[in-house]
Amino acid sequence: LSILVLNAGSSTLKFGLFDSDARDAYVAGSVDWDGPAGTAEIVLRPKGQVEERQPCAANDHQSAANLIIRTMTEPGRAPSSIAAVGHRIVHGGSAFRESVIVDPGVAKAIAELSELAPLHNPQAVAVLEAATAALAEVPHVAVFDTSFYAQLPQASVVYPLPYEWYRDRGIRKFGFHGISHAYCAGRAAELLGRPSKDLRLVICHLGNGCSATAVRDGIAVDTTMGYTPMDGLMMGTRAGAVDPGILLHLLQHDGFTPDSLDNALNHQSGLLGVSGVSSDFRKVEEAAQGGNERARLALEIYAARVRSAIGSLSATLGGVDALIFTAGVGENSSTFRASACAGLRFLGIQLDPRRNTEARPDAEITAEGFTTRVLILHTREELMIARETLRLSAARRA
Ligand code: AMP
């Protein structure tokens, strides 16, 4: 039996079909309809074989989910039938502190959380609806990006705002990217050959969305994202933390509306906003190398914010045993890593220049003689979701 994992992005749906031990994917891939109409494609990466790309008609999350399920249930495609489906859900709110088996009540509660994560939850809800209709006979498990933060200490959870907002309105830090951070925390312990129990980790997940999390004894103790996935580090199109006074000023004196501010902060800021070039880190790097001054500035701000988060989260932990870089930028850009870690020798952090440029994840890039281990890890969110799906569906069968 196999486990299908569905991971909805803004105009993509990633998937993986895992073996019954949730150890390895027989086939992974994605459906992507981000480009102009008519250019949608499905990418299939069967284990140990060459990648296949086929044009497809998918144009939204529902049609993409149906296409994936049809493809994964074609005769000969997978060695066994689908026994359970795992879904990545960005926001679990206060209702979901751990993964759950989806029933109509759970599905309704997840849909109601869309307001808190308008960029992410609605897509996952569309996928959940399509998949539970197409594969109605198997258990569906919802795995939340917020669950890893269920044990954040109160001092990280509560904002220094009127306490009633926390108590009565539920304004609090949730934290995001938890599936990736949890995977990396476990993988780092494995690679370092030490139990999670006495490890202090700072994990930087730097992709289109970016967050850094402090982990002690395998438990998240603070993180840069907050009530929404807009806080903290600079991202592709999101600003990250900015002075809230700026927003008030724009609303009160500059003709902005909540909607126009929302659009500016979520879609027109970050790397794109500063560089004017792109939200894609690689394109900004290329422009900077070509002499584009705003692109260079964008990269400088991006690295400075990561550096400052590493410092602050290390202070929260009272020291750091390992620093981890993951996701598109963290795994791939050696120039970024060198820039973010510059000046961190006081934390025992120093990169080996050759390892930093040549190593491919999963790998260690620590300079000889330095105490804080620096790792680059390939994040495996789908694998983590498969493990959770197996755990819950097996528990239900038992
Ligand atoms: P993700 O959300 O994890 O897929 O990460 C997407 C981000 O990673 C984009 O900004 C990409 O430009 C960036 N990225 C992917 N590959 C590289 C690379 N080789 N060098 C620099 N940035 C990269």
Side-chain angles (χ1 to χ4, degrees), residues 14 205-209 271 279-283 285 327-329 332-333:
K14 290 196 266 180
H205 175 112
L206 308 167
N208 289 317
L271 287 172
S279 63
D280 188 306
F281 195 90
R282 264 171 302 195
K283 294 198 177 126
E285 270 191 330
V329 178
N332 294 301
S333 178

Side-chain angles (χ1 to χ4, degrees), residues 113-142:
L113 287 166
S114 286
E115 209 177 296
L116 285 181
L119 291 183
H120 304 282
N121 270 31
Q123 293 87 328
V125 169
V127 170
L128 191 60
E129 282 171 1
T132 47
L135 293 169
E137 65 290 356
V138 306
H140 290 252
V141 174

Side-chain angles (χ1 to χ4, degrees), residues 310 314 319-323 341 343-352 364-374:
I310 294 169
S314 300
V320 53
D321 299 306
L323 170 64
C341 293
L344 294 183
R345 285 174 76 128
F346 74 100
L347 287 172
I349 294 169
Q350 175 81 25
L351 305 187
D352 179 281
E364 178 160 7
I365 58 172
T366 318
E368 217 57 61
F370 280 81
T371 48
T372 304
R373 317 277 293 267
V374 186

Side-chain angles (χ1 to χ4, degrees), residues 16-35:
L17 189 68
F18 287 81
D19 60 27
S20 57
D21 301 330
R23 256 191 253 135
D24 222 346
Y26 302 123
V27 45
S30 59
V31 175
D32 192 326
W33 61 98
D34 202 17

Side-chain angles (χ1 to χ4, degrees), residues 70-86:
R70 262 201 319 279
T71 311
M72 290 303 103
T73 49
E74 275 167 9
R77 179 62 73 179
S80 58
S81 59
I82 295 170
V85 184

Side-chain angles (χ1 to χ4, degrees), residues 118-189:
L119 291 183
H120 304 282
N121 270 31
Q123 293 87 328
V125 169
V127 170
L128 191 60
E129 282 171 1
T132 47
L135 293 169
E137 65 290 356
V138 306
H140 290 252
V141 174
V143 182
F144 301 94
D145 268 305
T146 45
S147 299
F148 189 48
Y149 303 103
Q151 298 178 72
L152 282 182
Q154 281 297 90
S156 302
V157 165
V158 180
Y159 288 103
L161 293 165
Y163 186 80
E164 295 71 25
W165 294 9
Y166 166 66
R167 194 187 57 202
D168 305 332
R169 297 172 193 262
I171 303 290
R172 50 160 294 171
K173 179 176 282 192
F174 287 108
F176 297 90
H177 289 144
I179 299 168
S180 173
H181 286 293
Y183 170 77
C184 288
R187 179 73 180 132

